[in-house]
Coordinates of all heavy atoms in Angstrom, one line a residue:
M137 N -7.0 6.6 -84.0 CA -8.2 7.3 -83.5 C -8.6 8.3 -84.5 O -7.9 9.1 -85.0 CB -7.8 8.0 -82.1 CG -8.9 8.7 -81.6 SD -8.5 9.5 -80.0 CE -8.8 11.1 -80.4
T138 N -9.9 8.3 -84.7 CA -10.5 9.3 -85.6 C -10.9 10.5 -84.8 O -11.6 10.3 -83.8 CB -11.7 8.7 -86.3 OG1 -11.3 7.5 -87.1 CG2 -12.4 9.7 -87.2
T139 N -10.4 11.6 -85.2 CA -10.8 12.9 -84.5 C -12.0 13.5 -85.2 O -11.9 13.8 -86.4 CB -9.6 13.8 -84.4 OG1 -8.5 13.2 -83.8 CG2 -10.0 15.1 -83.7
R140 N -13.0 13.9 -84.5 CA -14.1 14.5 -85.1 C -14.2 16.0 -84.7 O -14.8 16.8 -85.5 CB -15.4 13.9 -84.6 CG -15.6 12.5 -85.1 CD -17.0 12.0 -84.6 NE -17.6 11.1 -85.5 CZ -18.7 10.5 -85.3 NH1 -19.3 10.7 -84.1 NH2 -19.2 9.7 -86.1
W141 N -13.6 16.4 -83.6 CA -13.8 17.8 -83.1 C -12.4 18.3 -82.8 O -11.7 17.7 -82.0 CB -14.7 17.8 -81.9 CG -16.0 17.1 -82.1 CD1 -16.3 15.8 -81.7 CD2 -17.1 17.6 -82.8 NE1 -17.5 15.5 -82.1 CE2 -18.1 16.6 -82.8 CE3 -17.4 18.8 -83.4 CZ2 -19.3 16.7 -83.4 CZ3 -18.6 18.9 -84.0 CH2 -19.6 17.9 -84.0
I142 N -12.1 19.5 -83.3 CA -10.8 20.1 -83.1 C -11.1 21.6 -82.8 O -11.8 22.3 -83.5 CB -9.8 20.0 -84.3 CG1 -9.6 18.6 -84.6 CG2 -8.5 20.8 -84.0 CD1 -8.8 18.4 -85.9
C143 N -10.5 22.2 -81.7 CA -10.5 23.6 -81.5 C -9.0 24.0 -81.3 O -8.2 23.2 -80.7 CB -11.4 24.0 -80.4 SG -11.0 23.5 -78.8
K144 N -8.7 25.2 -81.7 CA -7.3 25.7 -81.6 C -7.3 27.1 -80.9 O -8.2 27.8 -81.0 CB -6.7 25.9 -83.0 CG -6.6 24.6 -83.8 CD -6.0 24.9 -85.2 CE -5.9 23.6 -86.0 NZ -5.3 23.8 -87.3
T145 N -6.1 27.4 -80.3 CA -5.9 28.7 -79.7 C -5.3 29.5 -80.7 O -4.7 29.1 -81.7 CB -5.0 28.6 -78.5 OG1 -3.7 28.2 -78.8 CG2 -5.6 27.7 -77.4
A146 N -5.4 30.8 -80.5 CA -4.6 31.8 -81.3 C -3.1 31.6 -80.9 O -2.8 31.1 -79.9 CB -5.1 33.2 -80.9
P147 N -2.2 32.1 -81.8 CA -0.8 32.0 -81.4 C -0.5 32.7 -80.1 O -1.0 33.7 -79.8 CB -0.1 32.7 -82.6 CG -1.1 32.5 -83.8 CD -2.4 32.6 -83.1
L148 N 0.4 32.1 -79.4 CA 0.8 32.6 -78.1 C 2.3 32.8 -78.1 O 3.0 31.8 -78.4 CB 0.4 31.7 -76.9 CG 0.9 32.1 -75.5 CD1 0.2 33.3 -75.0 CD2 0.6 30.9 -74.6
W149 N 2.8 34.0 -77.8 CA 4.3 34.2 -77.6 C 4.7 33.6 -76.3 O 4.2 34.0 -75.3 CB 4.6 35.7 -77.7 CG 6.1 35.9 -77.4 CD1 6.6 36.4 -76.2 CD2 7.2 35.6 -78.3 NE1 8.0 36.4 -76.3 CE2 8.4 35.9 -77.6 CE3 7.3 35.1 -79.6 CZ2 9.6 35.8 -78.1 CZ3 8.6 34.9 -80.1 CH2 9.7 35.3 -79.4
V150 N 5.7 32.7 -76.3 CA 6.3 32.1 -75.1 C 7.7 32.6 -75.1 O 8.5 32.3 -76.0 CB 6.2 30.6 -75.1 CG1 6.9 30.0 -73.9 CG2 4.7 30.1 -75.2
G151 N 8.0 33.4 -74.1 CA 9.4 33.9 -73.9 C 10.3 32.9 -73.4 O 9.9 31.9 -72.8
S152 N 11.6 33.2 -73.5 CA 12.7 32.3 -73.0 C 12.5 32.2 -71.4 O 12.3 33.2 -70.8 CB 14.0 32.9 -73.3 OG 15.0 32.1 -72.8
G153 N 12.5 31.0 -70.9 CA 12.4 30.8 -69.5 C 10.9 30.7 -69.0 O 10.7 30.6 -67.8
A154 N 10.0 30.9 -69.9 CA 8.6 30.9 -69.5 C 8.1 29.5 -69.1 O 8.8 28.5 -69.4 CB 7.7 31.4 -70.6
N155 N 7.0 29.4 -68.4 CA 6.5 28.2 -67.9 C 5.0 28.0 -68.4 O 4.1 28.3 -67.7 CB 6.5 28.1 -66.4 CG 6.2 26.8 -65.8 OD1 6.1 25.8 -66.5 ND2 6.0 26.8 -64.5
P156 N 4.8 27.7 -69.7 CA 3.5 27.7 -70.2 C 2.6 26.7 -69.6 O 3.0 25.6 -69.1 CB 3.6 27.4 -71.7 CG 5.1 27.1 -71.9 CD 5.8 27.4 -70.7
H157 N 1.3 27.0 -69.5 CA 0.3 26.2 -68.8 C -0.8 25.9 -69.8 O -1.4 26.8 -70.4 CB -0.2 26.9 -67.6 CG -1.1 26.0 -66.7 ND1 -2.0 26.6 -65.9 CD2 -1.2 24.7 -66.5 CE1 -2.6 25.6 -65.2 NE2 -2.1 24.5 -65.6
I158 N -1.2 24.6 -70.0 CA -2.3 24.2 -70.9 C -3.3 23.5 -70.0 O -3.0 22.5 -69.3 CB -1.8 23.3 -72.0 CG1 -0.7 24.0 -72.8 CG2 -3.0 22.9 -72.9 CD1 0.7 23.5 -72.5
T159 N -4.6 23.9 -70.0 CA -5.6 23.2 -69.3 C -6.9 23.1 -70.1 O -7.1 23.9 -71.1 CB -6.0 24.0 -68.0 OG1 -6.5 25.3 -68.3 CG2 -4.8 24.1 -67.0
T160 N -7.7 22.2 -69.7 CA -9.1 22.1 -70.3 C -10.1 22.0 -69.1 O -9.8 21.7 -68.0 CB -9.2 20.8 -71.1 OG1 -9.0 19.7 -70.3 CG2 -8.3 20.8 -72.3
V161 N -11.3 22.4 -69.5 CA -12.4 22.4 -68.5 C -13.6 21.9 -69.3 O -13.9 22.4 -70.4 CB -12.7 23.8 -67.9 CG1 -13.9 23.7 -67.0 CG2 -11.5 24.3 -67.2
G162 N -14.3 21.0 -68.8 CA -15.6 20.5 -69.4 C -15.5 19.6 -70.5 O -16.3 19.5 -71.4
I163 N -14.4 18.7 -70.5 CA -14.3 17.7 -71.6 C -15.5 16.7 -71.4 O -15.6 16.1 -70.4 CB -13.0 16.9 -71.5 CG1 -11.8 17.9 -71.7 CG2 -13.0 15.8 -72.5 CD1 -11.7 18.4 -73.1
P164 N -16.4 16.6 -72.4 CA -17.5 15.7 -72.2 C -17.0 14.2 -72.4 O -16.1 13.9 -73.1 CB -18.4 16.1 -73.3 CG -17.6 16.7 -74.4 CD -16.4 17.3 -73.6
W165 N -17.8 13.3 -71.8 CA -17.5 11.9 -71.9 C -18.7 11.3 -72.5 O -19.7 11.0 -71.8 CB -17.1 11.2 -70.6 CG -17.0 9.8 -70.7 CD1 -17.8 8.8 -70.2 CD2 -16.0 9.0 -71.5 NE1 -17.4 7.6 -70.5 CE2 -16.3 7.7 -71.4 CE3 -15.0 9.4 -72.3 CZ2 -15.6 6.7 -72.0 CZ3 -14.3 8.4 -73.0 CH2 -14.6 7.1 -72.8
G166 N -18.7 11.1 -73.8 CA -19.9 10.5 -74.5 C -19.6 9.3 -75.2 O -20.3 8.8 -76.1
A167 N -18.5 8.6 -74.9 CA -18.0 7.4 -75.6 C -18.8 6.2 -75.2 O -19.0 6.0 -74.0 CB -16.5 7.2 -75.4
P168 N -19.1 5.4 -76.1 CA -19.7 4.1 -75.7 C -18.6 3.2 -75.1 O -17.5 3.1 -75.7 CB -20.2 3.5 -77.0 CG -19.4 4.2 -78.1 CD -19.1 5.5 -77.6
W169 N -18.8 2.7 -73.9 CA -17.8 1.9 -73.3 C -18.5 0.9 -72.3 O -19.4 1.2 -71.6 CB -16.9 2.8 -72.5 CG -15.8 2.1 -71.7 CD1 -14.7 1.5 -72.3 CD2 -15.7 1.8 -70.3 NE1 -13.9 0.9 -71.3 CE2 -14.5 1.1 -70.1 CE3 -16.5 2.2 -69.3 CZ2 -14.2 0.7 -68.8 CZ3 -16.1 1.8 -68.0 CH2 -15.0 1.0 -67.8
E170 N -18.0 -0.3 -72.3 CA -18.5 -1.4 -71.5 C -17.4 -1.8 -70.5 O -16.2 -1.9 -70.9 CB -18.9 -2.6 -72.3 CG -20.1 -2.3 -73.2 CD -21.4 -2.1 -72.4 OE1 -21.5 -2.7 -71.3 OE2 -22.2 -1.3 -72.9
P171 N -17.6 -1.9 -69.2 CA -16.6 -2.4 -68.3 C -15.9 -3.7 -68.8 O -16.6 -4.5 -69.4 CB -17.4 -2.7 -67.0 CG -18.6 -1.8 -67.1 CD -18.9 -1.7 -68.6
G172 N -14.6 -3.7 -68.7 CA -13.8 -4.8 -69.1 C -13.3 -4.6 -70.5 O -12.4 -5.4 -70.9
E173 N -13.8 -3.7 -71.3 CA -13.3 -3.4 -72.6 C -12.2 -2.4 -72.5 O -12.1 -1.5 -71.6 CB -14.4 -2.8 -73.5 CG -15.5 -3.8 -73.8 CD -15.1 -5.0 -74.6 OE1 -14.4 -4.7 -75.6 OE2 -15.4 -6.1 -74.3
P174 N -11.2 -2.4 -73.5 CA -10.2 -1.4 -73.5 C -10.7 0.0 -73.7 O -11.7 0.2 -74.4 CB -9.3 -1.7 -74.7 CG -9.8 -3.1 -75.2 CD -11.1 -3.4 -74.6
E175 N -10.2 0.9 -72.9 CA -10.7 2.3 -73.0 C -9.9 3.0 -74.1 O -8.7 3.0 -74.2 CB -10.5 3.0 -71.7 CG -11.3 2.5 -70.6 CD -11.2 3.3 -69.3 OE1 -11.5 4.5 -69.4 OE2 -10.8 2.8 -68.3
E176 N -10.6 3.7 -74.9 CA -10.0 4.5 -76.0 C -9.7 5.9 -75.4 O -10.3 6.4 -74.5 CB -11.0 4.7 -77.1 CG -11.4 3.4 -77.8 CD -12.4 3.6 -78.9 OE1 -12.8 4.7 -79.1 OE2 -12.7 2.6 -79.6
V177 N -8.7 6.6 -76.1 CA -8.4 7.9 -75.8 C -9.6 8.8 -76.2 O -10.1 8.7 -77.3 CB -7.1 8.4 -76.5 CG1 -6.9 9.9 -76.4 CG2 -5.9 7.6 -76.0
N178 N -10.1 9.6 -75.2 CA -11.2 10.4 -75.5 C -10.8 11.8 -76.0 O -11.5 12.3 -76.9 CB -12.0 10.6 -74.2 CG -13.3 11.3 -74.4 OD1 -14.1 11.0 -75.3 ND2 -13.6 12.3 -73.5
S179 N -9.7 12.3 -75.6 CA -9.3 13.6 -76.0 C -7.8 13.7 -75.9 O -7.1 13.0 -75.2 CB -9.9 14.8 -75.2 OG -9.4 14.8 -73.9
F180 N -7.2 14.6 -76.7 CA -5.8 14.9 -76.6 C -5.5 16.3 -77.0 O -6.3 16.9 -77.7 CB -4.9 13.9 -77.4 CG -5.1 13.9 -78.9 CD1 -4.4 14.7 -79.7 CD2 -6.1 13.1 -79.4 CE1 -4.5 14.6 -81.1 CE2 -6.3 13.0 -80.8 CZ -5.5 13.8 -81.6
V181 N -4.4 16.9 -76.3 CA -4.0 18.2 -76.6 C -2.7 18.1 -77.3 O -1.8 17.4 -76.9 CB -3.9 19.0 -75.3 CG1 -3.2 20.3 -75.5 CG2 -5.3 19.3 -74.7
I182 N -2.5 18.9 -78.4 CA -1.2 19.0 -79.1 C -0.8 20.5 -79.0 O -1.6 21.4 -79.1 CB -1.4 18.7 -80.6 CG1 -1.7 17.2 -80.7 CG2 -0.2 19.1 -81.4 CD1 -2.0 16.8 -82.2
V183 N 0.5 20.7 -78.7 CA 1.1 22.1 -78.8 C 2.0 22.0 -80.0 O 2.8 21.1 -80.2 CB 1.8 22.5 -77.5 CG1 2.5 23.8 -77.7 CG2 0.8 22.5 -76.4
R184 N 1.9 23.1 -80.8 CA 2.7 23.2 -82.0 C 3.6 24.4 -81.9 O 3.2 25.5 -81.4 CB 1.9 23.3 -83.3 CG 1.1 22.0 -83.6 CD 0.4 22.1 -84.9 NE -0.4 20.9 -85.1 CZ 0.0 19.7 -85.5 NH1 1.3 19.6 -85.8 NH2 -0.8 18.7 -85.7
Y185 N 4.9 24.3 -82.4 CA 5.8 25.4 -82.4 C 5.7 26.0 -83.8 O 6.1 25.5 -84.8 CB 7.2 24.8 -82.2 CG 8.3 25.9 -82.2 CD1 8.1 27.1 -81.5 CD2 9.6 25.6 -82.7 CE1 9.2 28.0 -81.5 CE2 10.6 26.5 -82.7 CZ 10.4 27.7 -82.0 OH 11.4 28.6 -82.0
L186 N 5.1 27.2 -83.8 CA 4.7 27.9 -85.1 C 5.9 28.5 -85.8 O 5.7 28.9 -87.0 CB 3.6 28.9 -84.9 CG 2.3 28.3 -84.2 CD1 1.3 29.4 -84.0 CD2 1.7 27.2 -85.0
D187 N 7.0 28.7 -85.1 CA 8.1 29.4 -85.8 C 9.1 28.4 -86.5 O 10.0 28.9 -87.1 CB 8.9 30.2 -84.7 CG 8.1 31.4 -84.2 OD1 7.1 31.8 -84.8 OD2 8.5 31.9 -83.2
A188 N 8.8 27.2 -86.4 CA 9.6 26.2 -87.1 C 8.9 25.7 -88.4 O 7.7 25.7 -88.4 CB 9.9 25.0 -86.2
P189 N 9.6 25.3 -89.4 CA 9.0 24.9 -90.6 C 8.0 23.7 -90.4 O 8.3 22.7 -89.7 CB 10.1 24.4 -91.5 CG 11.3 25.1 -91.0 CD 11.1 25.3 -89.5
G190 N 6.8 23.8 -90.9 CA 5.8 22.7 -90.8 C 5.1 22.7 -89.5 O 4.3 21.8 -89.2
D191 N 5.3 23.7 -88.6 CA 4.6 23.8 -87.3 C 4.7 22.4 -86.5 O 3.6 21.8 -86.3 CB 3.2 24.2 -87.5 CG 3.0 25.6 -88.1 OD1 4.0 26.3 -88.1 OD2 1.9 25.8 -88.7
P192 N 5.9 22.0 -86.2 CA 6.0 20.6 -85.6 C 5.3 20.5 -84.2 O 5.2 21.5 -83.5 CB 7.5 20.5 -85.4 CG 8.1 21.8 -85.3 CD 7.2 22.7 -86.2
E193 N 4.8 19.4 -83.9 CA 4.2 19.0 -82.7 C 5.3 18.9 -81.6 O 6.2 18.1 -81.8 CB 3.4 17.7 -82.8 CG 2.8 17.2 -81.6 CD 2.1 15.9 -81.9 OE1 1.4 15.7 -83.0 OE2 2.2 15.0 -81.0
I194 N 5.2 19.6 -80.5 CA 6.3 19.5 -79.5 C 5.7 18.9 -78.2 O 6.5 18.6 -77.3 CB 6.9 20.8 -79.2 CG1 5.9 21.8 -78.6 CG2 7.6 21.4 -80.4 CD1 6.5 22.9 -77.8
L195 N 4.4 18.7 -78.1 CA 3.8 18.1 -77.0 C 2.5 17.4 -77.4 O 1.7 18.0 -78.2 CB 3.5 19.1 -75.9 CG 2.9 18.6 -74.6 CD1 3.6 19.1 -73.4 CD2 1.4 19.1 -74.5
R196 N 2.2 16.3 -76.8 CA 0.9 15.6 -76.9 C 0.5 15.0 -75.6 O 1.3 14.3 -75.0 CB 0.9 14.5 -78.0 CG -0.4 13.8 -78.2 CD -0.4 12.8 -79.2 NE -0.2 13.3 -80.5 CZ -1.1 13.2 -81.6 NH1 -2.1 12.4 -81.4 NH2 -0.8 13.7 -82.7
D197 N -0.7 15.3 -75.1 CA -1.2 14.8 -73.9 C -2.5 14.1 -74.1 O -3.5 14.7 -74.6 CB -1.4 15.9 -72.9 CG -1.7 15.5 -71.5 OD1 -1.0 14.7 -70.9 OD2 -2.8 15.9 -71.0
N198 N -2.6 12.8 -73.9 CA -3.8 12.0 -74.1 C -4.5 11.7 -72.8 O -3.9 11.5 -71.7 CB -3.4 10.6 -74.6 CG -2.7 10.7 -75.9 OD1 -3.2 11.3 -76.9 ND2 -1.6 10.0 -76.1
K199 N -5.8 11.8 -72.8 CA -6.7 11.5 -71.6 C -7.8 10.6 -72.0 O -8.3 10.6 -73.2 CB -7.3 12.8 -71.1 CG -6.2 13.8 -70.5 CD -5.5 13.2 -69.3 CE -4.5 14.2 -68.8 NZ -3.7 13.6 -67.8
K200 N -8.3 9.8 -71.0 CA -9.4 8.9 -71.2 C -10.6 9.3 -70.3 O -10.4 9.9 -69.3 CB -9.0 7.5 -70.9 CG -7.9 7.0 -71.8 CD -7.5 5.6 -71.4 CE -6.4 5.1 -72.3 NZ -6.0 3.7 -72.0
R201 N -11.8 9.0 -70.7 CA -13.0 9.1 -69.9 C -13.3 10.5 -69.4 O -13.7 10.7 -68.3 CB -13.0 8.1 -68.8 CG -12.8 6.7 -69.2 CD -13.1 5.7 -68.2 NE -14.6 5.7 -67.9 CZ -15.2 5.0 -67.0 NH1 -14.5 4.3 -66.2 NH2 -16.5 5.0 -66.9
G202 N -13.0 11.5 -70.2 CA -13.4 12.8 -69.9 C -12.4 13.5 -68.9 O -12.7 14.5 -68.3
E203 N -11.3 12.9 -68.6 CA -10.3 13.5 -67.7 C -9.8 14.8 -68.3 O -9.7 15.0 -69.5 CB -9.1 12.6 -67.5 CG -9.2 11.4 -66.7 CD -7.9 10.7 -66.5 OE1 -7.0 11.2 -65.8 OE2 -7.8 9.6 -67.2
E204 N -9.6 15.8 -67.4 CA -9.1 17.1 -67.9 C -7.6 17.1 -68.1 O -6.9 16.4 -67.4 CB -9.5 18.2 -66.9 CG -11.0 18.3 -66.6 CD -11.8 18.7 -67.8 OE1 -11.3 19.2 -68.8 OE2 -13.1 18.5 -67.7
H205 N -7.2 18.0 -69.0 CA -5.8 18.2 -69.2 C -5.3 19.3 -68.3 O -5.9 20.3 -68.2 CB -5.5 18.6 -70.7 CG -6.0 17.5 -71.6 ND1 -5.2 16.6 -72.2 CD2 -7.2 17.3 -72.2 CE1 -5.9 15.8 -73.0 NE2 -7.1 16.2 -73.0
D206 N -4.1 19.1 -67.7 CA -3.5 20.1 -66.9 C -2.0 20.0 -67.0 O -1.4 19.1 -66.3 CB -4.0 20.0 -65.4 CG -3.5 21.1 -64.5 OD1 -3.0 22.1 -65.0 OD2 -3.7 21.0 -63.3
I207 N -1.3 20.7 -67.8 CA 0.1 20.5 -68.2 C 0.9 21.8 -68.0 O 0.5 22.9 -68.4 CB 0.1 20.2 -69.7 CG1 -0.8 19.0 -70.0 CG2 1.6 19.8 -70.1 CD1 -1.3 19.1 -71.5
W208 N 2.0 21.7 -67.3 CA 3.0 22.7 -67.1 C 4.2 22.3 -67.8 O 4.7 21.2 -67.7 CB 3.3 23.0 -65.7 CG 2.2 23.6 -64.9 CD1 1.2 22.9 -64.2 CD2 1.9 25.0 -64.7 NE1 0.4 23.8 -63.6 CE2 0.8 25.1 -63.9 CE3 2.5 26.2 -65.2 CZ2 0.2 26.3 -63.5 CZ3 1.9 27.3 -64.8 CH2 0.8 27.4 -64.0
R209 N 4.9 23.2 -68.6 CA 6.1 22.8 -69.3 C 7.2 23.9 -69.2 O 6.8 25.1 -69.0 CB 5.9 22.6 -70.7 CG 5.2 21.2 -71.0 CD 6.1 20.1 -70.7 NE 5.6 18.8 -71.0 CZ 4.9 18.0 -70.2 NH1 4.7 18.4 -69.0 NH2 4.5 16.9 -70.6
K210 N 8.4 23.6 -69.2 CA 9.6 24.5 -69.2 C 10.5 24.1 -70.3 O 10.5 23.0 -70.8 CB 10.3 24.5 -67.9 CG 9.6 25.1 -66.7 CD 10.4 25.1 -65.5 CE 9.7 25.8 -64.3 NZ 10.5 25.8 -63.1
G211 N 11.4 25.0 -70.7 CA 12.5 24.7 -71.6 C 12.2 24.8 -73.1 O 13.0 24.4 -73.9
W212 N 11.0 25.4 -73.4 CA 10.7 25.6 -74.8 C 11.5 26.7 -75.4 O 11.7 27.7 -74.6 CB 9.3 25.8 -75.1 CG 8.3 24.7 -74.8 CD1 8.7 23.4 -74.5 CD2 6.9 24.7 -74.7 NE1 7.6 22.6 -74.3 CE2 6.5 23.4 -74.4 CE3 6.0 25.7 -74.9 CZ2 5.1 23.1 -74.3 CZ3 4.6 25.4 -74.8 CH2 4.2 24.1 -74.5
P213 N 11.9 26.7 -76.6 CA 12.6 27.9 -77.2 C 11.6 29.0 -77.3 O 10.4 28.8 -77.5 CB 13.0 27.4 -78.6 CG 12.4 26.1 -78.8 CD 11.9 25.6 -77.5
A214 N 12.1 30.3 -77.1 CA 11.2 31.4 -77.3 C 10.6 31.4 -78.7 O 11.2 31.1 -79.7 CB 12.0 32.7 -77.1
G215 N 9.3 31.7 -78.8 CA 8.6 31.8 -80.1 C 7.1 31.7 -79.9 O 6.6 31.8 -78.8
N216 N 6.5 31.5 -81.0 CA 5.0 31.4 -81.1 C 4.6 30.0 -81.1 O 5.1 29.1 -81.8 CB 4.5 32.1 -82.4 CG 4.7 33.6 -82.3 OD1 4.1 34.3 -81.5 ND2 5.6 34.1 -83.2
Y217 N 3.5 29.7 -80.3 CA 3.0 28.4 -80.1 C 1.5 28.4 -80.2 O 0.9 29.5 -80.0 CB 3.4 27.8 -78.7 CG 4.8 27.6 -78.6 CD1 5.7 28.6 -78.2 CD2 5.4 26.3 -78.8 CE1 7.0 28.4 -78.1 CE2 6.7 26.1 -78.7 CZ 7.6 27.1 -78.3 OH 8.9 26.9 -78.2
S218 N 0.9 27.3 -80.6 CA -0.6 27.2 -80.6 C -0.9 25.8 -80.0 O -0.2 24.8 -80.2 CB -1.1 27.3 -82.0 OG -2.5 27.1 -82.0
A219 N -2.0 25.8 -79.2 CA -2.5 24.6 -78.7 C -3.8 24.1 -79.4 O -4.6 25.0 -79.8 CB -2.8 24.7 -77.2
E220 N -4.0 22.8 -79.5 CA -5.1 22.2 -80.2 C -5.8 21.2 -79.2 O -5.1 20.4 -78.7 CB -4.8 21.5 -81.5 CG -4.0 22.4 -82.5 CD -3.5 21.5 -83.6 OE1 -3.7 20.3 -83.7 OE2 -2.8 22.1 -84.5
L221 N -7.1 21.2 -79.1 CA -7.8 20.2 -78.4 C -8.5 19.3 -79.4 O -9.3 19.8 -80.2 CB -8.8 20.9 -77.4 CG -9.8 19.9 -76.8 CD1 -9.1 18.9 -75.9 CD2 -10.8 20.7 -76.0
H222 N -8.2 18.0 -79.4 CA -8.8 17.1 -80.3 C -9.7 16.2 -79.4 O -9.3 15.6 -78.5 CB -7.8 16.2 -81.0 CG -6.9 17.0 -81.9 ND1 -7.0 16.9 -83.2 CD2 -5.9 17.9 -81.6 CE1 -6.1 17.7 -83.8 NE2 -5.4 18.3 -82.8
C223 N -11.0 16.1 -79.8 CA -11.9 15.2 -79.1 C -12.6 14.3 -80.1 O -13.0 14.7 -81.2 CB -13.0 16.0 -78.4 SG -12.4 17.1 -77.1
R224 N -12.7 13.0 -79.7 CA -13.3 12.0 -80.6 C -14.8 12.2 -80.8 O -15.3 11.9 -81.8 CB -12.9 10.6 -80.0 CG -13.4 9.5 -80.9 CD -12.8 8.2 -80.6 NE -13.2 7.3 -81.6 CZ -12.6 6.2 -81.9 NH1 -11.5 5.9 -81.3 NH2 -13.0 5.4 -82.8
Y225 N -15.5 12.5 -79.7 CA -16.9 12.5 -79.8 C -17.5 13.9 -79.8 O -18.5 14.1 -80.5 CB -17.5 11.7 -78.6 CG -17.0 10.3 -78.7 CD1 -15.9 9.9 -77.9 CD2 -17.6 9.4 -79.5 CE1 -15.4 8.6 -78.0 CE2 -17.1 8.1 -79.6 CZ -16.0 7.7 -78.9 OH -15.6 6.4 -79.0
S226 N -17.1 14.8 -79.0 CA -17.6 16.2 -79.0 C -16.8 17.1 -78.1 O -16.1 16.6 -77.3 CB -19.1 16.1 -78.4 OG -19.5 17.4 -78.2
Y227 N -16.8 18.3 -78.3 CA -16.2 19.2 -77.3 C -17.2 20.3 -76.9 O -16.8 21.3 -76.4 CB -14.9 19.9 -77.8 CG -15.0 20.8 -79.0 CD1 -15.5 22.1 -78.9 CD2 -14.5 20.3 -80.3 CE1 -15.6 22.9 -80.0 CE2 -14.6 21.2 -81.4 CZ -15.1 22.4 -81.2 OH -15.2 23.3 -82.3
Q228 N -18.5 20.1 -77.1 CA -19.5 21.1 -76.7 C -19.3 21.4 -75.2 O -19.4 20.5 -74.4 CB -20.9 20.5 -77.1 CG -21.9 21.5 -76.7 CD -23.3 21.0 -77.2 OE1 -23.4 19.9 -77.8 NE2 -24.3 21.7 -76.8
G229 N -19.2 22.6 -74.9 CA -19.0 23.0 -73.5 C -17.6 23.0 -73.0 O -17.4 23.4 -71.9
A230 N -16.7 22.5 -73.8 CA -15.3 22.4 -73.3 C -14.6 23.7 -73.5 O -14.9 24.4 -74.5 CB -14.6 21.2 -74.0
T231 N -13.6 24.0 -72.7 CA -12.7 25.1 -72.8 C -11.3 24.7 -72.9 O -10.9 23.9 -72.0 CB -12.9 26.1 -71.6 OG1 -14.3 26.5 -71.6 CG2 -12.1 27.3 -71.8
L232 N -10.5 25.3 -73.8 CA -9.1 25.1 -73.8 C -8.3 26.4 -73.5 O -8.6 27.4 -74.0 CB -8.7 24.7 -75.3 CG -7.2 24.6 -75.6 CD1 -6.5 23.5 -74.8 CD2 -7.0 24.3 -77.1
N233 N -7.5 26.3 -72.4 CA -6.7 27.5 -72.0 C -5.2 27.2 -72.2 O -4.7 26.1 -72.0 CB -6.9 27.7 -70.5 CG -8.4 27.9 -70.1 OD1 -9.0 28.9 -70.6 ND2 -8.9 27.0 -69.4
F234 N -4.6 28.3 -72.7 CA -3.1 28.2 -73.0 C -2.5 29.6 -72.7 O -2.9 30.6 -73.3 CB -2.9 27.8 -74.5 CG -1.5 27.7 -74.9 CD1 -0.5 27.1 -74.1 CD2 -1.1 28.0 -76.2 CE1 0.8 27.0 -74.5 CE2 0.2 27.9 -76.6 CZ 1.1 27.3 -75.8
D235 N -1.7 29.6 -71.6 CA -1.1 30.9 -71.2 C 0.3 30.7 -70.6 O 0.7 29.6 -70.4 CB -2.0 31.6 -70.3 CG -2.4 30.8 -69.0 OD1 -1.5 30.1 -68.5 OD2 -3.6 30.8 -68.6
N236 N 0.9 31.8 -70.4 CA 2.2 31.8 -69.8 C 2.1 31.9 -68.3 O 1.9 32.8 -67.7 CB 3.1 33.0 -70.3 CG 3.6 32.7 -71.7 OD1 4.1 31.6 -72.0 ND2 3.5 33.7 -72.6

């Protein structure tokens, strides 16, 4: 998948035992699609662990047809994280939220 649009959050400190929440609002659906054809991933969210070498990806959530992301996670090591919203067509009007 070719990504055209990316937005990122500022680093967020996630403490030990925290339950981080990642959500989106307003993911646009502008993809050309015909009924009966395979649906492509429209957007995905990546969370990166910024305290490890190379900022490894620790989570990826794919959505189709403008579905919103709503992810809760536990068990991450304490440290700094950043979330990224990748959209194939546009993210105009979309919001990415990442909090504890």
Side-chain angles (χ1 to χ4, degrees):
M137 176 177 124
T138 302
T139 300
R140 290 182 149 177
W141 309 98
I142 301 171
C143 64
K144 298 180 183 182
T145 65
L148 173 70
W149 172 258
V150 174
S152 179
N155 189 11
H157 189 205
I158 304 103
T159 61
T160 59
V161 176
I163 298 290
W165 173 246
W169 179 73
E170 293 292 327
E173 294 294 315
E175 292 185 60
E176 298 178 353
V177 169
N178 187 46
S179 68
F180 59 95
V181 169
I182 293 174
V183 176
R184 296 188 183 277
Y185 182 39
L186 304 178
D187 293 343
D191 301 339
E193 178 182 317
I194 63 157
L195 177 129
R196 180 180 292 238
D197 185 58
N198 298 310
K199 295 293 181 191
K200 298 179 179 180
R201 300 194 74 184
E203 287 183 71
E204 301 295 345
H205 301 265
D206 188 8
I207 309 152
W208 291 91
R209 286 294 185 263
K210 289 184 179 178
W212 293 351
N216 291 292
Y217 294 84
S218 180
E220 304 171 2
L221 172 61
H222 296 251
C223 294
R224 184 168 185 153
Y225 300 97
S226 170
Y227 64 75
Q228 184 175 355
T231 302
L232 171 63
N233 301 297
F234 183 35
D235 57 41
N236 283 316

